[in-house]
Amino acid sequence: MKLMRYGAKGNEKPAIVDAGGKVRDLSSVLQDFTAESLSPGALAKLAAIDTGKLPVVDNPGRIAPPYAGIGKFICVGLNYADHAAESNLPVPPEPVLFMKATSAVIGCNDPVVLPQDSLKTDWEVELGVVIGTKARYVSEENALEYVAGYCVINDISEREYQIERAGQWDKGKGCDTFGPIGPWLVTRDEVPDPQNLDMWLDVNGKRFQNGSTRTMVYKVAHLVSYISRFMTLYPGDVISTGTPPGVGMGQKPAPVYLKAGDVMRLGVAGLGEQQQTVHAWNPELIDN
């Protein structure tokens, strides 16, 4: 299933994308997609619905994050060897973990707003893994059973804040609007191999990232198992699994960073596409 939400902030409605690509409203079935909607039992009930009887949404307008109440937003750094190389950093001996603030979460096509005094804001197309079942000290062999589904994430990063201003990476990763998620949550049954997904990202029509989850250093099952040793994973937690090469920071002969007016387009095979326009600091674009 491809599950999504649409509508203005604060008035989102749940929907499902049918086999023909039509958006079908689910408001008659449930009020909203939340973490509770991601359990195996809840997803089985949704899968049993005859989508042909649901109303078609011809113009969904704004596409919201695919579910409400995202819990932890956990990210994995330097998880592609070639991206580590372009960052002039070694491949880490264990997964590098950091957090994005949940206040960074926006819909897949919502405006991206540069922080005040931003100098080095960058892009990162990533595979997102959404937890559907409470996971604590799970084995790698069983780890994917705890996954509800997958999604596209743009792990937008302010590199000066992240690297040059001391402390943890979080300050460059958690800025408002720096976590576009969606357009859909694609359930696990539709992604038989999360390690065989092509991914790409364009800025102003130029292809910068063109990679595949095949080249991850630490695979999805390993990440879920590994992270569950350090914190309990709950339904609605999302893991952003790292980015392939081609980020702005790694461009030669000089880095390329985002500026107001730039347009990012990105996608992961089978999981949909995103498009964001970059704006100068404007709190109204964040709050409305």
Side-chain angles (χ1 to χ4, degrees), residues 3-262:
L3 307 177
M4 61 174 286
R5 297 161 70 236
Y6 70 99
K9 291 181 181 179
N11 293 290
E12 293 91 346
K13 295 181 179 181
I16 189 169
V17 180
D18 68 18
K22 294 181 180 178
V23 176
R24 302 273 184 168
D25 186 272
L26 274 171
S27 299
S28 61
V29 178
L30 75 168
Q31 184 174 358
D32 199 358
F33 282 132
T34 64
E36 290 73 25
S37 310
L38 304 176
S39 70
L43 292 178
K45 289 180 180 178
L46 289 176
I49 294 172
D50 182 357
T51 57
K53 295 181 179 179
L54 298 172
V56 174
V57 183
D58 290 320
N59 183 16
R62 173 181 178 259
I63 301 176
Y67 61 98
I70 291 172
K72 296 188 285 295
F73 197 155
I74 307 158
C75 300
V76 182
L78 303 173
N79 196 28
Y80 290 71
D82 33 14
H83 171 55
E86 73 174 352
S87 303
N88 295 314
L89 294 168
V91 174
E94 294 187 32
V96 172
L97 304 181
F98 61 92
M99 300 283 197
K100 280 179 98 76
T102 53
S103 53
V105 174
I106 58 173
C108 64
N109 302 329
D110 286 348
V112 167
V113 180
L114 297 173
Q116 291 186 18
D117 304 317
S118 169
L119 297 173
K120 299 180 179 180
T121 294
D122 204 346
W123 56 82
E124 294 188 7
V125 59
E126 305 202 359
L127 170 67
V129 179
V130 178
I131 300 300
T133 301
K134 180 179 175 181
R136 180 184 291 150
Y137 289 102
V138 302
S139 69
E140 187 168 337
E141 292 73 20
N142 298 325
L144 295 186
E145 297 175 10
Y146 295 81
V147 173
Y150 303 92
C151 58
V152 183
I153 293 177
N154 190 354
D155 176 19
I156 300 168
S157 312
E158 215 298 345
R159 302 299 190 189
E160 186 199 22
Y161 297 3
Q162 175 191 357
I163 299 170
E164 301 174 32
R165 297 187 61 175
Q168 303 298 312
W169 286 9
D170 303 48
K171 67 178 71 173
K173 296 283 191 172
C175 302
D176 294 338
T177 75
F178 274 24
I181 299 179
W184 317 309
L185 186 153
V186 180
T187 51
R188 190 180 75 228
D189 58 294
E190 292 200 9
V191 186
D193 184 2
Q195 302 306 154
N196 191 28
L197 302 174
D198 292 333
M199 53 207 307
W200 56 273
L201 183 144
D202 298 346
V203 179
N204 300 330
K206 178 181 178 179
R207 180 66 43 94
F208 280 91
Q209 291 188 275
N210 196 11
S212 170
T213 59
R214 291 185 295 274
T215 64
M216 278 186 187
V217 177
Y218 299 106
K219 312 303 185 186
V220 172
H222 180 82
L223 292 174
V224 173
S225 173
Y226 180 85
I227 295 169
S228 77
R229 303 177 203 172
F230 298 96
M231 63 193 82
T232 300
L233 296 172
Y234 290 97
D237 289 350
V238 61
I239 302 168
S240 199
T241 57
T243 196
V247 300
M249 179 176 63
Q251 297 303 306
K252 300 293 188 291
V256 176
Y257 294 115
L258 294 167
K259 61 185 184 303
D262 286 346

